[in-house]
Amino acid sequence: MIIRIESATDDGLASAKSSLDKLVGAWGYQTRETPLSAEGSAPEDKKAVDPVAVAALIVSIPSAALAVTDLADRILKRRRAQELIDEIKRELDGKTTLELITDDGPRDITELSPDQVLDIPKPEDPLA
């Protein structure tokens, strides 16, 4: 997921980055900064192979077990998306915006539901 943070003040930017780092860290992940290209979007890079998809093909997990796993994963991701939206709404000071970068352009995260966040196609990882 790529999130662009813009702020009129350095304090607003630092606060938003700190809150996002804490939230994502609680999930067991780290945030990383990516330089933006001249158009304002992350630079495109090579496509990556999803190791989970490859493992699923090799092991040939029964479809019922795979459906249960996907449902559990979706529930977990939906909770995380809601936490992200709630944290952003708490931290915004009117001078700071956080946008989700998509192939269709930036979208204001606070105007999206958790399901809408999850249904946005995942962009290619610019650092892969």
Side-chain angles (χ1 to χ4, degrees):
M1 179 180 295
I2 299 174
I3 298 174
R4 178 173 55 198
I5 303 172
E6 294 179 6
S7 179
T9 64
D10 289 338
D11 291 339
L13 180 64
S15 175
K17 286 172 62 175
S18 174
S19 294
L20 195 57
D21 286 341
K22 287 178 190 174
L23 180 65
V24 173
W27 298 338
Y29 294 95
Q30 293 181 340
T31 59
R32 60 183 176 200
E33 292 187 36
T34 304
L36 297 179
S37 64
E39 295 86 34
S41 62
E44 294 187 23
D45 228 338
K46 299 177 185 176
K47 291 185 179 182
V49 176
D50 184 6
V52 175
V54 173
L57 289 174
I58 293 171
V59 178
S60 185
I61 300 172
S63 62
L66 186 58
V68 169
T69 303
D70 287 344
L71 181 60
D73 186 49
R74 176 75 178 202
I75 291 169
L76 176 64
K77 287 179 180 178
R78 189 175 189 287
R79 285 185 196 145
R80 288 180 176 175
Q82 185 63 55
E83 287 177 26
L84 177 67
I85 292 167
D86 292 343
E87 183 68 22
I88 289 169
K89 286 180 180 178
R90 275 193 298 273
E91 290 297 321
L92 290 181
D93 59 5
K95 298 179 183 176
T96 304
T97 60
L98 282 92
E99 296 176 327
L100 186 61
I101 305 301
T102 68
D103 292 336
D104 298 329
R107 299 191 54 191
D108 185 355
I109 297 175
T110 60
E111 296 177 0
L112 301 175
S113 71
D115 289 320
Q116 288 174 313
V117 171
L118 295 178
D119 291 339
I120 293 173
K122 181 180 177 183
E124 293 180 25
D125 187 352
L127 300 178

